[in-house]
Amino acid sequence: MAVSSVQILGTGQLLVLSRQLRAASGAPVQRNMARRIRRAAEPLHRDLQNTVRTLPMRSQGRRAGSRGGPSPTTRPFRAAIAAAIRISVRTSSAPGARVFLDKGLLPRDISVGAVQQMNNGRLRHPVFNNRSRWTNQYTPSNWWDQTVRSHTPRMTAEVARVLDDVHRQLS
């Protein structure tokens, strides 16, 4: 599973229901459905943000004779990643909820690849942006995937409940 995107889609049933919504009821029922689907995805969104904020990261430590110093940035790394996790809900062409890492909200010096490396358990990066010196930081493996897996059954059940309710309203 890619770190950058999580999608809950009820492929055929959701597409049929979306078309029926546009044809029969219009905006109020669509807004209600979108709001309820978003509400089903919000616990995953919050949990992913909390997980990345509290993710333990340990480093290799300094080598003998190496110097230290203050960080050149005041921006907390994990908080910046947490702020870039977003929810998107669609009720039209590809209906469903998507929890993803928004590249546009990440600072320029943090890439989606860095988050994917963190999910793999090791983040390799230059020391204070010095490309001749590199270091590794270690995190628990598959933290993104485990968080998503723990929420998937609840989200799937909630989206199915929303679809059933809207289907009953249309009948």
Side-chain angles (χ1 to χ4, degrees):
M1 175 175 283
V3 168
S4 60
S5 177
V6 178
Q7 297 181 19
I8 298 295
L9 302 171
T11 55
Q13 184 184 12
L14 206 49
L15 283 169
V16 169
L17 188 59
S18 176
R19 286 186 192 115
Q20 288 175 346
L21 274 171
R22 278 195 307 276
S25 65
V29 177
Q30 267 188 314
R31 277 194 305 265
N32 183 37
M33 183 175 113
R35 182 176 41 80
R36 289 181 64 193
I37 290 175
R38 174 178 290 280
R39 209 177 294 151
E42 283 173 352
L44 171 62
H45 177 246
R46 280 191 305 270
D47 198 16
L48 279 170
Q49 287 180 323
N50 290 335
T51 301
V52 75
R53 279 189 192 109
T54 60
L55 194 65
M57 292 182 80
R58 62 181 172 78
S59 65
Q60 300 172 197
R62 293 191 177 140
R63 284 179 264 182
S66 67
R67 293 175 301 211
S71 173
T73 178
T74 58
R75 172 193 38 82
F77 177 71
R78 289 171 283 195
I81 292 171
I85 297 174
R86 304 278 309 238
I87 299 176
S88 171
V89 176
R90 283 182 160 180
T91 57
S92 58
S93 62
R98 183 174 166 231
V99 179
F100 64 103
L101 190 65
D102 189 348
K103 292 188 296 191
L105 294 178
L106 283 174
R108 288 178 28 188
D109 60 336
I110 300 175
S111 69
V112 173
V115 180
Q116 290 171 337
Q117 282 185 45
M118 286 172 57
N119 188 50
N120 291 335
R122 183 184 88 160
L123 174 61
R124 181 170 164 74
H125 62 90
V127 177
F128 297 128
N129 225 8
N130 177 356
R131 298 263 171 208
S132 64
R133 293 195 54 205
W134 289 75
T135 189
N136 294 309
Q137 286 184 290
Y138 300 96
T139 62
S141 295
N142 299 320
W143 57 271
W144 180 282
D145 300 336
Q146 289 171 354
T147 306
V148 169
R149 257 183 265 143
S150 69
H151 285 272
T152 300
R154 181 199 51 77
M155 287 175 52
T156 303
E158 182 62 27
V159 169
R161 192 172 322 132
V162 169
L163 293 176
D164 289 343
D165 290 348
V166 172
H167 193 25
R168 262 193 309 264
Q169 284 179 347
L170 293 176
S171 301

